[in-house]
Amino acid sequence: MSSVEHSSNSSGSRSIEGDFDQFRDELDAVERRIAGEIDPGVRAMVVAGAVFVLLFSLVLSHTGSARGFDVLLGTDAARIEHIGLPSRLFVWFTAVFGIGFSLLALMTRRWVLAWLAVAGSALASFFGVLSIWHRQTPGLDNYVGAGPGVGLLIGTIAIVVLTFHWVRVVWSRTAVQLAAEEQRRNAAATAEERDRKRLSGDE
């Protein structure tokens, strides 16, 4: 083979490798974008149903004459019923994370929003159980208010269900991400070793 043919083949090989590297970069970018998304599948219907139940629970009695929206907005009805901090935190975490971030995560399919929905819903579940206990416990000067209302009970059950399903969705996506990152690291190590051999003349 002549030097001209060898030079031509080398140039063609470098051109093909350059095109492949560019194509690989584009594939990596697409892979990273997909890795940042979730695919809740049939769980999306369960999550949407739980969000609807949470919304519905806010119009029901939280305790006595105070509805969920009264606790959220701090109306006179909430003050009359001596709504405590656990109940206020439960309603706010439910509204912001259980409803707000859950809807955003379902609409955008973003993994980070789903994680925020998980974290906030888990805290809301804790405050929901604490609120039920708080409404059954005498307060200062042995004040005994109305017990937990149907809205509080339904809301607590709904947020627990929502948390469980969001955890399953996020965990499955996390497992896929870890596997994809491992494959990407292996591919990068292989490419680096190949380039090192090429530069050192081992190939």
Side-chain angles (χ1 to χ4, degrees):
M1 180 182 295
S2 66
S3 59
V4 175
E5 292 176 343
H6 179 74
S7 176
S8 177
N9 291 337
S10 299
S11 299
S13 176
R14 285 194 298 269
S15 177
I16 293 174
E17 290 178 357
D19 292 340
F20 178 76
D21 289 339
Q22 182 180 358
F23 182 66
R24 185 177 60 187
D25 292 340
E26 293 177 358
L27 285 178
D28 289 342
V30 172
E31 184 178 313
R32 286 192 295 270
R33 181 178 61 81
I34 294 176
E37 296 180 351
I38 59 171
D39 183 16
V42 295
R43 293 185 188 277
M45 296 298 297
V46 180
V47 170
V51 170
F52 175 78
V53 173
L54 288 176
L55 281 169
F56 181 65
S57 72
L58 293 179
V59 303
L60 299 177
S61 170
H62 188 91
T63 180
S65 61
R67 299 171 302 163
F69 281 116
D70 292 320
V71 178
L72 183 67
L73 301 176
T75 63
D76 292 336
R79 287 190 287 272
I80 291 172
E81 295 295 340
H82 294 80
I83 298 298
L85 182 61
S87 295
R88 297 181 189 278
L89 290 175
F90 166 68
V91 173
W92 272 103
F93 272 92
T94 295
V96 175
F97 295 96
I99 297 174
F101 276 98
S102 290
L103 289 176
L104 286 175
L106 283 178
M107 289 186 295
T108 63
R109 301 298 178 94
R110 301 306 302 171
W111 181 74
V112 65
L113 293 178
W115 254 115
L116 290 173
V118 168
S121 296
L123 287 173
S125 299
F126 168 76
F127 287 122
V129 174
L130 187 60
S131 297
I132 295 174
W133 172 81
H134 183 261
R135 295 308 306 179
Q136 296 173 327
T137 304
L140 296 176
D141 299 325
N142 290 324
Y143 169 80
V144 179
V150 64
L152 176 58
L153 296 174
I154 292 177
T156 300
I157 295 173
I159 198 68
V160 169
V161 172
L162 181 66
T163 302
F164 171 77
H165 286 281
W166 267 137
V167 166
R168 296 294 298 271
V169 171
V170 170
W171 179 255
S172 63
R173 173 51 60 186
T174 302
V176 172
Q177 284 180 323
L178 291 175
E181 289 174 0
E182 180 65 22
Q183 292 179 352
R184 191 182 301 116
R185 284 195 296 268
N186 292 338
T190 301
E192 183 179 354
E193 180 65 17
R194 185 179 64 248
D195 292 340
R196 186 189 65 78
K197 290 182 178 179
R198 184 185 300 113
L199 292 173
S200 62
D202 292 340
E203 288 187 350

